[in-house]
Amino acid sequence: MGGLAIIIMGVTGSGKSTIGTLLAKALDCNFIDADDFHSAENKEKMHNGTPLTDEDRIPWLEAVRDAMIDYIIKDKIVVVACSALQPKYREILLLADPEYALDSYDSNKKTKPISFSSNGGRQHAKSLFSRKVVFMCLQASAQLIASRLDIREKQGAHFMSPNLLQSQIDLLRIDDTEDIFLLDATLSPELITKNIQRKLSEFQLLS
């Protein structure tokens, strides 16, 4: 199958790092936390409750993408925890797949590839897709995530202010044309991890 980057996405507090760490252990592969790629300036903004701008995010996403490329071209699997809230942000990460990067510039492509869809069916893709960069989105109620963030803040376990939750919820957008697996983040981390593994196997994304 070759290289594969599995991106665990969602708003702050949805459990990206927890699930990403467990999944990487289950798959015996490396784990990347996109938070580690933020500049000191970005971290200071988020700590103070100031939402990042696209100007702040783009260099960060490009750095995460470049780290993913290193694994994909070496035919390795990597799990990545990254918010990736908007289609335009995910597009940057998708360019880690060299085949996607080439196809995205091929305006003469006459047929669409067969895509895997988040509801478990198969369909002709409405847009280009990648089998080397896949997205798993953790979803839960704002109330549940807020309670998690309160605990995390008391523990001093993260630099991001809980006050940014609503801005992230407002920013999150998933288009119907995208192939994103939606995951119930209210389940136990162990069950979520098994659900991801089942999806990866179902669509033959693991070698």
Side-chain angles (χ1 to χ4, degrees):
M1 174 61 71
L4 176 66
I6 306 161
I7 300 176
I8 311 300
M9 59 170 285
V11 299
T12 182
S14 58
K16 298 184 295 293
S17 297
T18 298
I19 301 304
T21 301
L22 285 174
L23 181 63
K25 183 177 180 180
L27 299 179
D28 192 23
C29 68
N30 285 352
F31 168 69
I32 291 175
D33 194 328
D35 283 344
D36 295 337
F37 291 77
H38 274 300
S39 66
E41 292 78 10
N42 281 3
K43 290 182 179 180
E44 183 67 18
K45 272 190 170 184
M46 290 184 285
H47 178 71
N48 293 330
T50 303
L52 298 182
T53 64
D54 282 357
E55 185 177 9
D56 298 322
R57 288 190 178 93
I58 289 173
W60 163 63
L61 290 164
E62 290 175 339
V64 176
R65 176 203 63 201
D66 291 348
M68 290 163 48
I69 289 173
D70 288 341
Y71 288 94
I72 290 174
I73 64 176
K74 294 175 182 176
D75 290 338
K76 294 183 177 180
I77 297 174
V78 64
V79 177
V80 183
C82 182
S83 53
L85 299 174
Q86 291 262 308
K88 61 184 176 181
Y89 305 152
R90 295 189 287 275
E91 181 72 17
I92 293 173
L93 299 176
L94 280 165
L95 292 175
D97 177 354
E99 294 179 4
Y100 178 90
L102 286 173
D103 285 348
S104 66
Y105 292 106
D106 184 1
S107 60
N108 296 319
K109 201 171 186 67
K110 295 181 179 179
T111 59
K112 298 292 186 180
I114 297 296
S115 166
F116 49 88
S117 62
S118 58
N119 63 10
R122 295 185 70 85
Q123 59 185 11
H124 284 282
K126 299 176 184 177
S127 62
L128 296 173
F129 76 107
S130 169
R131 292 187 67 87
K132 293 185 179 296
V133 179
V134 297
F135 295 90
M136 307 278 174
C137 184
L138 295 169
Q139 297 185 315
S141 69
Q143 292 80 6
L144 175 61
I145 294 176
S147 67
R148 291 179 178 176
L149 291 176
D150 287 340
I151 294 172
R152 191 170 74 177
E153 183 180 35
K154 291 174 183 176
Q155 294 173 339
H158 201 276
F159 57 81
M160 183 177 284
S161 169
N163 295 332
L164 288 176
L165 174 58
Q166 189 57 53
S167 69
Q168 292 217 332
I169 291 173
D170 294 341
L171 195 61
L172 176 63
R173 194 180 91 235
I174 297 175
D175 290 344
D176 291 340
T177 57
E178 296 184 273
D179 288 300
I180 296 178
F181 294 109
L182 305 180
L183 303 167
D184 183 354
T186 67
L187 302 176
S188 71
E190 292 76 16
L191 184 53
I192 295 171
T193 301
K194 289 180 180 178
N195 287 342
I196 294 174
Q197 289 178 274
R198 184 168 61 251
K199 284 294 184 184
L200 292 171
S201 296
E202 181 180 352
F203 292 102
Q204 301 179 350
L205 294 171
L206 294 176
S207 55

